[in-house]
Amino acid sequence: MSDPDLCLFCQRSSQAPVDVLPSNAKACHACVSRLGTLLLEQDLAVAAIWPALRHQVEEEGDEPIVRLPDGRVVELRERTAELKEQLSLEKRAALARTYVEIGMYREAVMEAALVLSQSENSQALAAALEVLLTPPLGRPRAAESVRVLLRPN
């Protein structure tokens, strides 16, 4: 068992660490941010930990069309992206959890990744890590796999 005051991923002590729920471990902001960046880049190594990233969003097909109050007609996907830009990172962490609840796992990973890469709010970071490291997204030993992934070369 590792020291609870050390980062779960890099094993270094950290000022103002982020809680890694439900394990009661801690993570440093540098590791959390690096993980978020790797997830956003959809690095092949993270797809091994989060297989939902392997499923590409279908770009073709019958995407629903919506008419906006200003008269524009856009795809639902485009409108959803616009609305998400208006959300705080804390709300986007909650959105990641909602995506898990409705089975949109790839979207959940990407929302959690955005929070990890951009937020300084410890509660939002902890919520995003919880989404990623607990079932159904978090596979057994996901934290250990992340530790290996983040290890300096």
Side-chain angles (χ1 to χ4, degrees), residues 25 41 50 54-55 62 64 75 99 144:
E41 293 171 351
W50 290 281
R54 294 184 192 139
H55 305 291
D62 295 327
E75 288 185 346
Y99 278 149
E144 290 83 359

Side-chain angles (χ1 to χ4, degrees), residues 9-51:
F9 304 123
C10 70
Q11 299 296 302
R12 295 186 183 126
S13 65
S14 172
Q15 292 181 343
V18 176
D19 289 325
V20 181
L21 303 171
S23 67
N24 293 325
K26 304 288 183 193
C28 68
H29 284 267
C31 286
V32 168
S33 179
R34 282 183 55 215
L35 175 58
T37 299
L38 287 172
L39 284 164
L40 288 174
E41 293 171 351
Q42 298 180 44
D43 185 281
L44 291 176
V46 295
I49 302 169
W50 290 281

Side-chain angles (χ1 to χ4, degrees), residues 52 57 76-77 79-85 87 91-115 131 135-137:
V57 176
L76 179 60
R77 180 180 310 149
R79 181 61 179 148
T80 302
E82 289 173 5
L83 292 172
K84 287 193 310 186
E85 287 178 7
L87 295 176
K91 296 264 186 202
R92 290 190 81 158
L95 179 59
R97 171 57 60 205
T98 300
Y99 278 149
V100 169
E101 291 170 1
I102 61 174
M104 297 176 71
Y105 298 143
R106 184 178 194 288
E107 291 80 1
V109 171
M110 297 311 291
E111 286 300 320
L114 179 83
V115 173
V131 165
L137 293 181

Side-chain angles (χ1 to χ4, degrees), residues 62-83:
D62 295 327
E63 177 68 22
I65 303 293
V66 295
R67 182 176 301 278
L68 302 178
D70 65 6
R72 290 183 297 143
V73 176
V74 298
E75 288 185 346
L76 179 60
R77 180 180 310 149
E78 181 181 339
R79 181 61 179 148
T80 302
E82 289 173 5
L83 292 172

